[in-house]
Amino acid sequence: MSSFTDYKIFLCSRTTLSLYYLLLTYNNNLIFYTTMFFILFYRFATSKGYWTDLYVQYFVRQVGERKAPEINRGYYGRVKGMNLLIDAFLKKTQCDCQVVNLGAGLDTTFWRLKDENIMPKKFFEVDFPMIVARKIHNIKTKPPLSKPLIETHSTDALLLDGHSLDSDRYCIIGADLRDLPTLEEKLKKFQINPELPTLFLSECVLVYMTPEQSSKLVHWVADAFPTAMFINYEQVNMNDRFGEIMIENLQRRQCNLAGVDLCQSLDSQKERFLSAGWESANALDMMTVYNMLPQEDVARIECLEFLDEKELLQQLLQHYCICWAVKDKLNLGLSQIGF
């Protein structure tokens, strides 16, 4: 069989049980489905020792069925690549900044930064209200999650309701990223400061928006935040046969990539930002990023599981990328950030 056919079979066989469970549990709700699908794979990779996350267990307890080594290595590259750029921004700004995680899901970055003592002035998360409600419930009922918020808060009580949570250093907002007036209103309500250097994060989020919608979002960020960096992780090179098979498999699960037209190449990824007023943009496919990560740690994780299909890993990583764009009114040297 060709590697493309192998990949197609791999997707069907390895994920059937998880997908079936999620679709039953969340009544075919695509928002919950994509969020939980990611966190299950993330949780399994941490259980195998690819990286350390002390907090993901409080969002999803069960490790679940075995995931293929190439998927685990792909998640490793994603997590390490994003963290490298996040940490570089915090270092460059000396943490005198804000972070806004768009479509954050059940992400645990805030807790990692707290543990490593590299917190920004405030960490914002935005997602659909139903995802936010789930996350707030976990935070309220899991002391290891709530304690770090209380420790960084100056008063006795947090501002808390069903679809938002606000403390001095951490804020979750329920909002639709396609509704920019409401998003801007809610961010202002919770004291975002446009004059502070601001890092925006997006992982497989813009691709679910139409090109017009995502372009309006990145244009709004560029207009509203004069000193900013935007890091976007998502698909790339989707116009070849491998990319077509990825799209076909997603469509079978009623998962439509509305923004896939902007995922045709690294140049199309960069152009989304450059045409929206960003000063500079860079993009690398994840195979390149993987090869630029600290090789001692890469060697460590490659010993965790045997991988007999290295070509498949390479093809998979070549179809995801990290793109980062900057505006630097304060001349902090943000354009120097990279791998």
Side-chain angles (χ1 to χ4, degrees), residues 3 6 18 27 32 37 40 64 94 106 119 130 139 151 164 167 171 176 181 189 216 237 242 247 254 263 284:
S3 58
D6 288 341
S18 292
N27 299 317
F32 258 123
F37 188 60
L40 283 171
Q94 299 181 343
L106 303 178
M119 287 175 56
M130 65 179 64
I139 292 172
E151 290 175 346
S164 61
S167 69
C171 178
D176 187 334
K189 175 184 176 181
K216 285 182 178 179
N237 297 325
F242 192 88
I247 294 172
Q254 288 75 50
C263 302
L284 296 172

Side-chain angles (χ1 to χ4, degrees), residues 123-321:
F123 195 104
F124 295 84
E125 293 183 352
V126 182
D127 213 319
F128 286 108
M130 65 179 64
I131 301 295
V132 167
R134 163 71 185 269
K135 192 164 192 176
I136 289 174
H137 171 76
N138 285 72
I139 292 172
K140 286 168 58 179
T141 57
K142 309 291 184 182
L145 295 176
S146 58
K147 184 180 178 182
L149 273 66
I150 296 169
E151 290 175 346
T152 58
H153 193 59
S154 58
T155 61
D156 293 335
L158 304 176
L159 176 59
L160 182 66
D161 62 36
H163 294 140
S164 61
L165 182 157
D166 187 45
S167 69
D168 290 348
R169 307 294 292 275
Y170 179 69
C171 178
I172 313 178
I173 299 169
D176 187 334
L177 298 176
R178 297 166 297 185
D179 182 357
L180 289 179
T182 300
L183 174 62
E184 185 172 14
E185 175 188 342
K186 290 188 175 183
L187 286 170
K188 287 179 178 178
K189 175 184 176 181
F190 294 111
Q191 289 84 50
I192 198 165
N193 181 358
E195 298 307 313
L196 269 182
T198 306
L199 174 62
F200 285 82
L201 308 175
S202 169
E203 298 184 54
C204 291
V205 171
L206 302 185
V207 70
Y208 290 104
M209 305 166 67
T210 66
E212 181 182 10
Q213 290 166 342
S214 66
S215 294
K216 285 182 178 179
L217 175 63
V218 299
H219 201 294
W220 168 73
V221 174
D223 285 346
F225 297 85
T227 302
M229 181 172 176
F230 200 122
I231 308 174
N232 181 44
Y233 170 92
E234 67 182 7
Q235 294 86 344
V236 75
N237 297 325
M238 296 298 281
N239 54 355
D240 64 13
R241 183 60 188 140
F242 192 88
E244 290 173 358
I245 290 175
M246 291 174 67
I247 294 172
E248 289 170 7
N249 275 277
L250 290 168
Q251 288 175 339
R252 286 194 188 94
R253 304 176 211 151
Q254 288 75 50
C255 186
N256 178 40
L257 300 182
V260 74
D261 287 348
L262 296 181
C263 302
Q264 300 306 304
S265 67
L266 295 176
D267 285 340
S268 67
Q269 287 282 1
K270 292 186 288 185
E271 183 59 28
R272 175 186 3 224
F273 291 94
L274 294 174
S275 63
W278 292 80
E279 294 170 3
S280 64
N282 293 279
L284 296 172
D285 69 59
M286 292 308 298
M287 189 71 248
T288 302
V289 171
Y290 186 86
N291 289 329
M292 297 177 77
L293 295 174
Q295 290 304 293
E296 182 178 349
D297 197 52
V298 170
R300 177 191 65 81
I301 65 102
E302 289 184 345
C303 292
L304 295 175
E305 297 179 282
F306 176 70
L307 177 65
D308 60 356
E309 187 59 76
K310 293 186 178 180
E311 181 187 359
L312 178 56
L313 174 66
Q314 181 174 346
Q315 288 177 314
L316 186 63
L317 294 183
Q318 286 173 342
H319 286 80
Y320 285 89
C321 73

Side-chain angles (χ1 to χ4, degrees), residues 36-182:
M36 295 304 297
F37 188 60
F38 165 76
I39 203 70
L40 283 171
F41 278 74
Y42 181 101
R43 175 77 170 96
F44 183 83
T46 61
S47 75
K48 297 294 292 185
Y50 281 84
W51 66 92
T52 299
D53 188 323
L54 301 176
Y55 299 97
V56 67
Q57 62 183 308
Y58 302 113
F59 291 112
V60 55
R61 289 184 297 172
Q62 296 183 346
V63 172
E65 65 176 357
R66 181 181 179 273
K67 309 302 186 294
E70 53 266 37
I71 295 296
N72 294 327
R73 292 191 190 184
Y75 273 83
Y76 168 84
R78 171 179 177 173
V79 169
K80 292 295 184 178
M82 291 293 293
N83 285 351
L84 190 152
L85 293 178
I86 292 169
D87 294 356
F89 181 89
L90 292 168
K91 182 178 180 180
K92 185 68 74 172
T93 61
Q94 299 181 343
C95 295
D96 188 19
C97 62
Q98 305 162 126
V99 177
V100 183
N101 193 342
L102 302 172
L106 303 178
D107 182 77
T108 60
T109 299
F110 167 79
W111 289 270
R112 176 182 75 84
L113 300 180
K114 168 72 165 56
D115 284 351
E116 296 178 8
N117 198 30
I118 50 172
M119 287 175 56
K121 282 187 173 295
K122 193 160 187 176
F123 195 104
F124 295 84
E125 293 183 352
V126 182
D127 213 319
F128 286 108
M130 65 179 64
I131 301 295
V132 167
R134 163 71 185 269
K135 192 164 192 176
I136 289 174
H137 171 76
N138 285 72
I139 292 172
K140 286 168 58 179
T141 57
K142 309 291 184 182
L145 295 176
S146 58
K147 184 180 178 182
L149 273 66
I150 296 169
E151 290 175 346
T152 58
H153 193 59
S154 58
T155 61
D156 293 335
L158 304 176
L159 176 59
L160 182 66
D161 62 36
H163 294 140
S164 61
L165 182 157
D166 187 45
S167 69
D168 290 348
R169 307 294 292 275
Y170 179 69
C171 178
I172 313 178
I173 299 169
D176 187 334
L177 298 176
R178 297 166 297 185
D179 182 357
L180 289 179
T182 300

